[in-house]
mmCIF file of all heavy atoms in Angstrom:
data_model
loop_
_atom_site.group_PDB
_atom_site.id
_atom_site.type_symbol
_atom_site.label_atom_id
_atom_site.label_comp_id
_atom_site.label_asym_id
_atom_site.label_seq_id
_atom_site.Cartn_x
_atom_site.Cartn_y
_atom_site.Cartn_z
ATOM 1 N N VAL Q 142 -51.820 28.993 -42.402
ATOM 2 C CA VAL Q 142 -51.922 30.379 -42.854
ATOM 3 C C VAL Q 142 -50.867 30.664 -43.908
ATOM 4 O O VAL Q 142 -51.112 31.366 -44.893
ATOM 5 C CB VAL Q 142 -51.787 31.363 -41.666
ATOM 6 C CG1 VAL Q 142 -51.730 32.812 -42.159
ATOM 7 C CG2 VAL Q 142 -52.950 31.181 -40.696
ATOM 8 N N ALA Q 143 -49.680 30.095 -43.716
ATOM 9 C CA ALA Q 143 -48.568 30.373 -44.633
ATOM 10 C C ALA Q 143 -48.918 30.024 -46.067
ATOM 11 O O ALA Q 143 -48.548 30.745 -47.001
ATOM 12 C CB ALA Q 143 -47.317 29.613 -44.195
ATOM 13 N N VAL Q 144 -49.635 28.922 -46.266
ATOM 14 C CA VAL Q 144 -49.969 28.511 -47.630
ATOM 15 C C VAL Q 144 -50.808 29.577 -48.329
ATOM 16 O O VAL Q 144 -50.757 29.716 -49.561
ATOM 17 C CB VAL Q 144 -50.694 27.140 -47.619
ATOM 18 C CG1 VAL Q 144 -52.081 27.239 -46.994
ATOM 19 C CG2 VAL Q 144 -50.758 26.547 -49.009
ATOM 20 N N GLN Q 145 -51.550 30.362 -47.567
ATOM 21 C CA GLN Q 145 -52.340 31.445 -48.141
ATOM 22 C C GLN Q 145 -51.469 32.642 -48.527
ATOM 23 O O GLN Q 145 -51.882 33.481 -49.321
ATOM 24 C CB GLN Q 145 -53.420 31.891 -47.150
ATOM 25 C CG GLN Q 145 -54.358 30.787 -46.709
ATOM 26 C CD GLN Q 145 -55.279 31.211 -45.594
ATOM 27 O OE1 GLN Q 145 -55.760 32.346 -45.553
ATOM 28 N NE2 GLN Q 145 -55.555 30.303 -44.662
ATOM 29 N N ASN Q 146 -50.256 32.698 -47.950
ATOM 30 C CA ASN Q 146 -49.348 33.809 -48.242
ATOM 31 C C ASN Q 146 -48.402 33.526 -49.399
ATOM 32 O O ASN Q 146 -47.771 34.442 -49.928
ATOM 33 C CB ASN Q 146 -48.497 34.124 -47.000
ATOM 34 C CG ASN Q 146 -49.323 34.603 -45.835
ATOM 35 O OD1 ASN Q 146 -50.342 35.246 -46.009
ATOM 36 N ND2 ASN Q 146 -48.873 34.279 -44.629
ATOM 37 N N VAL Q 147 -48.304 32.269 -49.789
ATOM 38 C CA VAL Q 147 -47.289 31.858 -50.764
ATOM 39 C C VAL Q 147 -47.424 32.584 -52.092
ATOM 40 O O VAL Q 147 -46.423 33.053 -52.668
ATOM 41 C CB VAL Q 147 -47.337 30.326 -50.960
ATOM 42 C CG1 VAL Q 147 -46.581 29.905 -52.210
ATOM 43 C CG2 VAL Q 147 -46.756 29.620 -49.741
ATOM 44 N N GLU Q 148 -48.650 32.695 -52.605
ATOM 45 C CA GLU Q 148 -48.826 33.377 -53.892
ATOM 46 C C GLU Q 148 -48.429 34.848 -53.799
ATOM 47 O O GLU Q 148 -47.927 35.422 -54.764
ATOM 48 C CB GLU Q 148 -50.267 33.231 -54.370
ATOM 49 C CG GLU Q 148 -50.607 31.824 -54.823
ATOM 50 C CD GLU Q 148 -49.589 31.245 -55.807
ATOM 51 O OE1 GLU Q 148 -49.229 31.955 -56.775
ATOM 52 O OE2 GLU Q 148 -49.138 30.102 -55.596
ATOM 53 N N ARG Q 149 -48.645 35.437 -52.642
ATOM 54 C CA ARG Q 149 -48.228 36.829 -52.447
ATOM 55 C C ARG Q 149 -46.715 36.955 -52.502
ATOM 56 O O ARG Q 149 -46.177 37.885 -53.091
ATOM 57 C CB ARG Q 149 -48.761 37.322 -51.097
ATOM 58 C CG ARG Q 149 -48.661 38.828 -50.885
ATOM 59 C CD ARG Q 149 -49.403 39.212 -49.625
ATOM 60 N NE ARG Q 149 -49.320 40.643 -49.374
ATOM 61 C CZ ARG Q 149 -49.838 41.237 -48.298
ATOM 62 N NH1 ARG Q 149 -50.490 40.513 -47.399
ATOM 63 N NH2 ARG Q 149 -49.717 42.544 -48.135
ATOM 64 N N TYR Q 150 -46.015 35.995 -51.904
ATOM 65 C CA TYR Q 150 -44.552 35.998 -51.952
ATOM 66 C C TYR Q 150 -44.062 35.802 -53.383
ATOM 67 O O TYR Q 150 -43.140 36.481 -53.836
ATOM 68 C CB TYR Q 150 -43.981 34.896 -51.056
ATOM 69 C CG TYR Q 150 -44.368 34.984 -49.588
ATOM 70 C CD1 TYR Q 150 -44.485 33.824 -48.814
ATOM 71 C CD2 TYR Q 150 -44.619 36.213 -48.976
ATOM 72 C CE1 TYR Q 150 -44.827 33.901 -47.474
ATOM 73 C CE2 TYR Q 150 -44.970 36.288 -47.640
ATOM 74 C CZ TYR Q 150 -45.081 35.123 -46.896
ATOM 75 O OH TYR Q 150 -45.426 35.191 -45.572
ATOM 76 N N ARG Q 151 -44.681 34.852 -54.066
ATOM 77 C CA ARG Q 151 -44.251 34.571 -55.445
ATOM 78 C C ARG Q 151 -44.501 35.772 -56.355
ATOM 79 O O ARG Q 151 -43.687 36.092 -57.220
ATOM 80 C CB ARG Q 151 -44.965 33.331 -55.962
ATOM 81 C CG ARG Q 151 -44.444 32.046 -55.303
ATOM 82 C CD ARG Q 151 -45.058 30.796 -55.905
ATOM 83 N NE ARG Q 151 -44.399 29.600 -55.369
ATOM 84 C CZ ARG Q 151 -45.028 28.528 -54.920
ATOM 85 N NH1 ARG Q 151 -46.354 28.471 -54.955
ATOM 86 N NH2 ARG Q 151 -44.340 27.490 -54.466
ATOM 87 N N ALA Q 152 -45.627 36.427 -56.156
ATOM 88 C CA ALA Q 152 -45.935 37.607 -56.969
ATOM 89 C C ALA Q 152 -44.932 38.725 -56.716
ATOM 90 O O ALA Q 152 -44.605 39.498 -57.637
ATOM 91 C CB ALA Q 152 -47.353 38.096 -56.666
ATOM 92 N N ALA Q 153 -44.433 38.791 -55.479
ATOM 93 C CA ALA Q 153 -43.458 39.829 -55.128
ATOM 94 C C ALA Q 153 -42.050 39.449 -55.582
ATOM 95 O O ALA Q 153 -41.135 40.278 -55.527
ATOM 96 C CB ALA Q 153 -43.473 40.066 -53.621
ATOM 97 N N GLY Q 154 -41.865 38.198 -56.013
ATOM 98 C CA GLY Q 154 -40.541 37.748 -56.459
ATOM 99 C C GLY Q 154 -39.535 37.622 -55.332
ATOM 100 O O GLY Q 154 -38.327 37.770 -55.554
ATOM 101 N N ILE Q 155 -40.014 37.303 -54.125
ATOM 102 C CA ILE Q 155 -39.117 37.192 -52.977
ATOM 103 C C ILE Q 155 -38.967 35.733 -52.579
ATOM 104 O O ILE Q 155 -39.918 34.943 -52.635
ATOM 105 C CB ILE Q 155 -39.653 38.032 -51.781
ATOM 106 C CG1 ILE Q 155 -38.603 38.093 -50.665
ATOM 107 C CG2 ILE Q 155 -40.972 37.483 -51.262
ATOM 108 C CD1 ILE Q 155 -38.974 39.082 -49.556
#
Side-chain angles (χ1 to χ4, degrees):
V142 173
V144 68
Q145 303 172 38
N146 296 328
V147 165
E148 289 310 312
R149 192 171 179 183
Y150 301 150
R151 288 185 172 133
I155 189 171

